[in-house]
Amino acid sequence: DQQVKQNSPSLSVQEGRISILNCDYTNSMFDYFLWYKKYPAEGPTFLISISSIKDKNEDGRFTVFLNKSAKHLSLHIVPSQPGDSAVYFCAAGGGADGLTFGKGTHLIIQP
Amino acid sequence: EPEVTQTPSHQVTQMGQEVILRCVPISNHLYFYWYRQILGQKVEFLVSFYNNEISEKSEIFDDQFSVERPDGSNFTLKIRSTKLEDSAMYFCASSELLAGTGELFFGEGSRLTVL
């Protein structure tokens, strides 16, 4: 049962353009959402988060949008840079359990 | 910058052997976690630990698994009798707050290969 879904295993974007990574969830008890970035041979690193009382959170080039009615969130990276090439995990939480992760989207930034 | 450290980075073991994976969480963090990622699959929650006891565990975390904080700094994951399907990357994480309310800091992972 996939409670957090990232339906695009990979995404290719040209350098300088906007990257949009999508995530859907099914559990309405989730009240906190996070994006993690992972390079090969490293652990996931925290990127940005949003609580369910907000619909947008911005941090530099990264913006996360939350649509609670659609149970959908997205991560926007603009402008995309070569160092952004990595696997991006959407994660959701809401209580004592650890986070529930999506399968990840491999973002490839092309020069 | 404080970080979570894990040892060993890679361990190869025979099926049926016991394995201990070690983690040193960030010193002022109170919540500790183990996650695993089987090759090509998603990161999966195993267990969370707070105040010297398990607070939550997933279905994956069966009787073959145990966690311990033996000395106030290390946080260990023990697999009593490894199976082939235990081969995965195991990530330790820690946080100041509950995972659902604050970010987790992950270690670089310990790759376990069971032959």
Side-chain angles (χ1 to χ4, degrees), chain A residues 75-96:
Chain A
L75 174 68
H76 292 212
I77 306 172
V78 55
S80 301
Q81 297 174 354
D84 296 330
S85 294
V87 177
Y88 289 78
F89 291 99
C90 172

Side-chain angles (χ1 to χ4, degrees), chain B residues 39-75:
Chain B
L39 188 64
Q41 298 186 25
K42 65 178 180 178
V43 178
E44 299 173 294
F45 168 71
L46 292 178
V47 65
S48 59
F49 192 86
Y50 170 72
N51 201 26
N52 286 320
E53 61 183 24
I54 290 173
S55 46
E56 294 291 337
K57 60 184 180 180
S58 72
E59 290 176 353
I60 302 165
F61 195 87
D62 62 22
D63 292 341
Q64 292 299 313
F65 290 89
S66 62
V67 288
E68 209 176 29
R69 195 145 190 259
D71 56 14
S73 63
N74 288 288
F75 179 52

Side-chain angles (χ1 to χ4, degrees), chain B:
Chain B
E1 187 177 319
E3 58 181 16
V4 175
T5 56
Q6 288 185 243
T7 54
S9 56
H10 189 191
Q11 179 152 359
V12 181
T13 190
Q14 295 290 326
M15 193 169 58
Q17 295 295 304
E18 177 183 283
V19 159
I20 297 176
L21 305 178
R22 291 182 167 79
C23 170
V24 179
I26 294 172
S27 60
N28 64 329
H29 285 185
L30 302 176
Y31 299 86
F32 313 110
Y33 311 85
W34 282 100
Y35 287 79
R36 79 171 186 192
Q37 185 180 27
I38 294 171
L39 188 64
Q41 298 186 25
K42 65 178 180 178
V43 178
E44 299 173 294
F45 168 71
L46 292 178
V47 65
S48 59
F49 192 86
Y50 170 72
N51 201 26
N52 286 320
E53 61 183 24
I54 290 173
S55 46
E56 294 291 337
K57 60 184 180 180
S58 72
E59 290 176 353
I60 302 165
F61 195 87
D62 62 22
D63 292 341
Q64 292 299 313
F65 290 89
S66 62
V67 288
E68 209 176 29
R69 195 145 190 259
D71 56 14
S73 63
N74 288 288
F75 179 52
T76 62
L77 174 70
K78 183 193 289 187
I79 309 174
R80 214 176 321 276
S81 176
T82 50
K83 304 188 283 282
L84 294 175
E85 54 264 37
D86 294 328
S87 294
M89 191 71 133
Y90 288 80
F91 292 104
C92 173
S94 68
S95 66
E96 281 186 89
L97 305 171
L98 279 173
T101 57
E103 63 179 274
L104 299 185
F105 290 79
F106 284 85
E108 292 193 347
S110 293
R111 180 171 297 286
L112 176 64
T113 302
V114 182
L115 302 176

Side-chain angles (χ1 to χ4, degrees), chain A residues 47-109:
Chain A
L47 201 54
I48 192 169
S49 63
I50 188 166
S51 87
S52 59
I53 62 172
K54 293 187 170 185
D55 54 20
K56 177 183 173 181
N57 188 24
E58 194 172 346
D59 183 3
R61 296 186 298 114
F62 302 93
T63 304
V64 56
F65 295 92
L66 175 62
N67 182 334
K68 277 186 67 179
S69 59
K71 292 193 177 70
H72 176 85
L73 65 153
S74 60
L75 174 68
H76 292 212
I77 306 172
V78 55
S80 301
Q81 297 174 354
D84 296 330
S85 294
V87 177
Y88 289 78
F89 291 99
C90 172
D97 280 5
L99 298 173
T100 301
F101 283 79
K103 286 190 174 185
T105 297
H106 185 192
L107 177 64
I108 302 159
I109 305 301

